[in-house]
Amino acid sequence: MIWPMMVLIVFGGIGFLTLEEMNARWKARHTERRFRLSLHSRIVLVSTAGLLLGGWLLYALLEWQGVLGGMSIPGRVENALFMSVTATILPERDTG
């Protein structure tokens, strides 16, 4: 099962400040106080979601009969997502 690893990679790529603002927004929804995410956090969340979903779709389409060909359909979908997560997040954290 590679889901916990994918979640940790994405959370590490999102960064502490965005996670802290998401936590503050979660807590504020149970009170009368309104909390808006900063522009930075909104950009990070939207771009991360777009890159992950776009990469997932492209990996699945381009490698369906190639690298993913010998797997079951759920395995293909899961591994295409894993390839998208590692290609999107990890190179940004690599310092060479």
Side-chain angles (χ1 to χ4, degrees):
M1 190 133 185
I2 56 178
W3 289 97
M5 189 182 329
M6 287 191 289
V7 169
L8 291 174
I9 290 171
V10 171
F11 279 0
I14 285 175
F16 177 75
L17 293 176
T18 303
L19 291 174
E20 185 64 31
E21 284 191 12
M22 288 171 56
N23 184 37
R25 183 179 169 107
W26 178 262
K27 288 179 181 177
R29 82 180 187 120
H30 296 295
T31 64
E32 296 177 9
R33 194 177 66 135
R34 292 276 298 159
F35 184 85
R36 278 186 59 146
L37 294 174
S38 67
L39 178 62
H40 170 268
S41 293
R42 285 183 276 162
I43 290 172
V44 166
L45 292 173
V46 169
S47 62
T48 299
L51 287 171
L52 288 176
L53 293 175
W56 188 12
L57 180 65
L58 284 175
Y59 271 121
L61 289 175
L62 296 175
E63 296 292 342
W64 195 259
Q65 296 298 324
V67 174
L68 303 173
M71 301 176 189
S72 65
I73 291 178
R76 289 179 185 186
V77 171
E78 185 177 43
N79 281 287
L81 179 60
F82 182 74
M83 287 191 287
S84 177
V85 166
T86 56
T88 302
I89 303 296
L90 291 181
E92 296 173 6
R93 295 294 191 177
D94 188 18
T95 57

